[in-house]
Amino acid sequence: MDDHKRLDFIHALPKVELHVHLEGAIAPERLLMLGRRNGIALPYDTVAQVRAAHAFSNLDEFLGHFGAVCSVLNTSEDFADAVLDLGADARRQNIHYREVMFTLAQHQRRGIPLEAVVAGLQIGRQRCREQHGVEIAFIADIDRTMSAAEARAMVDSLATFSLSAGVVAVGMDGQEVGISPATHRDAFLRARELGFHTTAHLGWDEDPEAIWEALDALPLERIDHGLRAVEDPRLIDVLVQRQIPLTLCPLSSLAVEPGRYPDLAAHPLREMWRRGAAVTLNSDDPMMIGQDLLANYIDVARAYHLQRDDLVRLAGNGMRAAFVPEHLKREWLQQLDRYAAPS
Ligand code: ADE
Ligand code: ZN
């Protein structure tokens, strides 16, 4: 496939996205607008300054910037606007379904009530459906730095709102090193008990031992990133055998951790794909990183010389790993087959 054909094929390919953070998807224009609307003093005045400020060289540095971006979200309307932007952006990229993570602790820490957050998510999701024909579901992420009791209380509080607002899963993000994932076992068990799906950011900074520990202690259906699993061939065997979906965000890894991942050839996605792991492509924090899902597909396709069948398999992996009923997955996969069929 020549490059021009490949770009067209990727653009129109029906796609889902399973790992994108609401806060990290706020466009610079929206960030400045929300800052003004809420009287928040930001360290930047122009779009160019926002872009220039978003420079990092490791996860902890990135997380410092992420916290600053969170501060512009204060009212239900702010959350609804941020979600609606994700819907418009999804339609532009031919993403018909997006699972959007939000980090509740970042907002509760600033005194924003859960009710305000969830009301905004619900309004935004409805507007995405009406205005863009895009379906949005939410993943409520535990911030790993929370205490076990705080995380458990967060999950309990979500029970009241979950279904009507489209919160389908509980996840986990934030700092890794120094905090065992098993800290939040109780919260994850409770999440499953309440009928939520589960996923967790693992193995970005922390060593493969932490991924083993999480697989043992937490009832996880998917893993977000899981990059350092490649250092342990036995662990990769398990991920392949069990076909545990991995939501990888290669351009995010390159942007946030350039020392460890200088280019896509050095990214663990290559080995995971080669070994037959259930990998999916995602953007993570597209606006903070400056790379969307299309860019991830395009750069990966070029770097690994992917052909039509490979791209269809990647898109299908996302659909199979989505937190939606089986009948919907079948419908999506049939649509994908029709798209891929030679005309
Ligand atoms: N918060 C937002 N993006 C994140 C990531 N990729 N890893 C950990 N925490 C995050
Ligand atoms: Zn993430």
Side-chain angles (χ1 to χ4, degrees), residues 137-214:
F138 298 105
I139 301 176
D141 272 4
I142 292 167
D143 179 330
R144 211 194 275 204
T145 62
M146 291 166 112
S147 72
E150 284 167 340
R152 159 78 195 224
M154 183 195 102
V155 173
D156 278 331
S157 68
L158 282 168
T160 330
F161 303 97
S162 60
L163 282 178
S164 55
V167 180
V168 297
V170 168
M172 177 165 74
D173 65 25
Q175 182 193 323
E176 293 184 352
V177 170
I179 312 166
S180 156
T183 307
H184 298 300
R185 174 176 163 82
D186 197 29
F188 275 101
L189 290 175
R190 181 70 180 141
R192 292 299 290 149
E193 215 172 83
L194 290 168
F196 289 108
H197 291 283
T198 50
T199 184
H201 284 58
L202 296 170
W204 176 298
D205 258 357
E206 63 198 349
D207 59 33
E209 204 43 52
I211 304 178
W212 282 113
E213 193 181 295

Side-chain angles (χ1 to χ4, degrees), residues 34-54:
L34 291 176
R36 278 196 302 274
R37 187 156 90 185
N38 288 292
I40 308 281
L42 293 170
Y44 16 68
D45 296 314
T46 66
V47 166
Q49 284 170 356
V50 176
R51 293 213 173 99
H54 286 158

Side-chain angles (χ1 to χ4, degrees), residues 19 21 101 201 225 284-285:
H19 181 167
H21 296 259
M101 296 165 177
H201 284 58
H225 301 300
D284 209 3
D285 297 282

